[in-house]
Amino acid sequence: MSDVPPHVTELAERRARARADRDYAGADALRDDIEAEGWTVRDVGDGFELTPRPSFKVWPTVSSVPVTGAGGRQPERSAEAGLRPEGHGIPAATNRDTDAGTGRDAAASGEPAGSTGAAAGTGRGAVADVGRGDAPDAERVAAAAEPGARPEEVGQLDAERVGEAEAAPRPRPEGAELLGRSDDVERAPERMVSSQLLWDSSLAVSRVDEEITPVEGRKPMTSPTVTVGLVVDGWPDDLRECVRALLAHTDAKIVALDLGDVDGAGAVLQELADADPGRIQAWHVAETPHWRGGTAGWGESRNKLLELDDSDVHVVMETSVVLDGDAITPLAGALNDKVSAAGWKGVDPGEDRREWKDAGPGDVRAVLGHLFAVRRDAALSVGGFPSGARYYRNADLEFSLTIPGTVVALGDELPVHEGRHRGYHDVDPEYRERESRRTYERVLRLLGSP
């Protein structure tokens, strides 16, 4: 901060004192003054850090990013689907024995063993009841059933028939009209046949005068809209490779949330968005990721991306994953009314409840968070991603057990590979294990652990 002008440093010090005194309105005003001077202030531990203000808009926190339009509205849902299961988004403490980046057990991945898993229960809620239409109007139904009672509700031809029927006296059957009556069948069976033929013919002719309502054609099927959500928390080279592959191999939109411009990753994101604004939507916040000592958690960040999205299908993807072809279309295509989530790698809990094993292709208990697609309405029906997860690991299991419906994995048939899984390997091991245990405790509760 040696190049920071003294008066800007003074503003930052005043802001720090205002925050200490819980004068948050004053602190926000001082932040604006600092930005007006061309600098950005970021809280670090007990102090602050000043950096040159970037050319793009930076929001103070994840929660302050505005959500407008369809992205901020939840669909209708049933009472069952609207309930979040106990333990969703609240703190706790145990670890899973799987590297969520590889989907392999602890022995295969070389990770230290964690604590116990849990019993088998689905942990999934009911599928959301979305898009139900209004019931028909009762008065119109009654008018249709008894057109003579409401002549203004019927067509011209029907109105004329009603008028004629009500004006004419009821005729008494005689002569040929008596043919076919039950008391005359035995004496003249040939008359019954003639009467029936006459009656059938009159029915066929009478329908010519009726209005025929055309049958509506079946609506053409349309492909679901798809958006890939990226949390950008460092590693700018990985981000660039990930985004370029998405643009080259898919038609999906991209919405990305930059947490604190770590190592210049936010600047790279903006560069990519400026080059293709029709495909990429970039958001920047001053908050740094929790795993780097900041306050922006994984669950909160993922939920903000879900809110910013307005597509039918929301794709969770990490920047360590690179497409070799169109892996997004098969994932989105696997979703339907029964299948709520489809991922690249799937896992099932082991019998000893201490680890998760690779599973799929097919139905699985959970998909790993490196690449999976989810119906956006289904995700919103359970309140989104686990807000209590400050770190990604095991949060993918928690979300998979919470989502209603079936979860499937497509496996190695997808054209995709993963580079170094930095979210696991390049994070402080002590932090990684502590936060993993917190989230896994909620996983145990969803599994129904005794």
Side-chain angles (χ1 to χ4, degrees):
M1 294 196 306
S2 59
D3 296 334
V4 180
H7 71 283
V8 175
T9 302
E10 181 183 357
L11 289 172
E13 291 172 346
R14 288 171 54 192
R15 176 180 172 276
R17 290 194 294 270
R19 286 176 55 83
D21 295 337
R22 298 186 177 183
D23 179 12
Y24 298 115
D28 288 343
L30 287 165
R31 177 193 291 275
D32 293 341
D33 292 341
I34 293 169
E35 291 184 352
E37 294 292 334
W39 294 84
T40 297
V41 61
R42 183 161 54 200
D43 299 312
V44 180
D46 296 332
F48 58 85
E49 180 181 45
L50 289 166
T51 56
R53 189 184 64 177
S55 58
F56 44 80
K57 169 69 176 178
V58 178
W59 297 87
T61 63
V62 172
S63 61
S64 69
V65 173
V67 177
T68 59
R73 295 196 299 268
Q74 292 191 17
E76 295 180 3
R77 59 180 186 258
S78 65
E80 288 183 337
L83 295 176
R84 295 176 68 160
E86 183 182 4
H88 189 68
I90 59 175
T94 318
N95 188 18
R96 94 166 182 236
D97 300 330
T98 319
D99 179 0
T102 63
R104 304 185 184 280
D105 57 68
S109 65
E111 288 187 48
S115 60
T116 59
T122 63
R124 299 188 183 124
V127 177
D129 185 4
V130 180
R132 292 177 296 178
D134 294 330
D137 184 271
E139 294 182 359
R140 292 187 64 85
V141 172
E146 190 179 0
R150 296 283 300 275
E152 72 275 10
E153 296 293 331
V154 299
Q156 181 64 28
L157 289 175
D158 288 333
E160 292 174 359
R161 291 173 183 170
V162 170
E164 292 173 358
E166 292 180 350
R170 183 180 298 275
R172 295 185 61 185
E174 58 184 19
E177 292 178 350
L178 293 173
L179 292 176
R181 288 185 177 271
S182 59
D183 58 354
D184 204 33
V185 171
E186 292 182 0
R187 291 177 293 172
E190 68 279 5
R191 294 181 179 180
M192 179 62 182
V193 175
S194 300
S195 177
Q196 185 63 50
L197 291 172
L198 180 63
W199 178 251
D200 291 344
S201 299
S202 66
L203 285 178
V205 173
S206 67
R207 297 192 65 83
V208 175
D209 294 333
E210 296 182 8
E211 294 185 16
I212 300 175
T213 303
V215 179
E216 294 185 1
R218 181 174 298 177
K219 295 181 179 179
M221 296 182 64
T222 58
S223 300
T225 54
V226 181
T227 295
V228 177
L230 300 175
V231 173
V232 179
D233 54 357
W235 305 296
D237 292 339
D238 291 359
L239 171 67
R240 193 186 301 275
E241 185 178 8
C242 173
V243 170
R244 285 178 174 174
L246 276 167
L247 296 175
H249 296 299
T250 77
D251 294 326
K253 295 184 296 182
I254 300 171
V255 57
L257 180 62
D258 159 41
L259 306 180
D261 193 18
V262 176
D263 299 329
V268 170
L269 171 61
Q270 192 60 46
E271 172 192 326
L272 293 166
D274 290 342
D276 200 339
R279 293 278 302 277
I280 304 174
Q281 182 186 153
W283 295 88
H284 306 268
V285 299
E287 270 188 302
T288 54
H290 191 270
W291 65 265
R292 288 185 64 104
T295 53
W298 184 89
E300 179 188 18
S301 300
R302 280 291 168 193
N303 280 328
K304 179 60 68 172
L305 289 172
L306 186 66
E307 293 169 359
L308 292 168
D309 187 7
D310 61 359
S311 296
D312 303 313
V313 176
H314 184 80
V315 177
V316 173
M317 185 174 185
E318 291 193 2
T319 57
S320 60
V321 173
V322 180
L323 301 187
D324 301 313
D326 184 4
I328 303 301
T329 298
L331 289 173
L335 305 179
N336 53 48
D337 291 342
K338 296 181 179 180
V339 178
S340 297
W344 174 23
K345 297 181 179 181
V347 290
D348 286 331
E351 294 181 0
D352 60 0
R353 305 177 185 179
R354 293 180 178 272
E355 60 186 28
W356 289 67
K357 299 287 188 179
D358 291 342
D363 292 3
V364 295
R365 296 297 300 281
V367 285
L368 300 181
H370 293 250
L371 177 63
F372 71 83
V374 61
R375 286 187 6 240
R376 186 171 169 275
D377 64 338
L380 289 172
S381 74
V382 293
F385 299 97
S387 59
R390 301 184 295 200
Y391 178 54
Y392 90 92
R393 191 165 183 254
N394 294 333
D396 45 12
L397 303 183
E398 183 179 0
F399 178 72
S400 295
L401 294 174
T402 305
I403 196 75
T406 303
V407 176
V408 301
L410 302 190
D412 294 337
E413 66 183 66
L414 288 179
V416 61
H417 74 274
E418 186 174 26
R420 179 176 174 83
H421 182 206
R422 303 184 189 278
Y424 177 84
H425 295 291
D426 294 352
V427 171
D428 176 62
E430 182 178 348
Y431 170 90
R432 181 182 67 213
E433 298 308 313
R434 181 179 69 250
E435 292 300 320
S436 298
R437 285 193 297 271
R438 288 183 68 254
T439 302
Y440 197 72
E441 180 64 26
R442 297 192 297 272
V443 172
L444 290 175
R445 295 173 65 178
L446 288 170
L447 285 169
S449 176

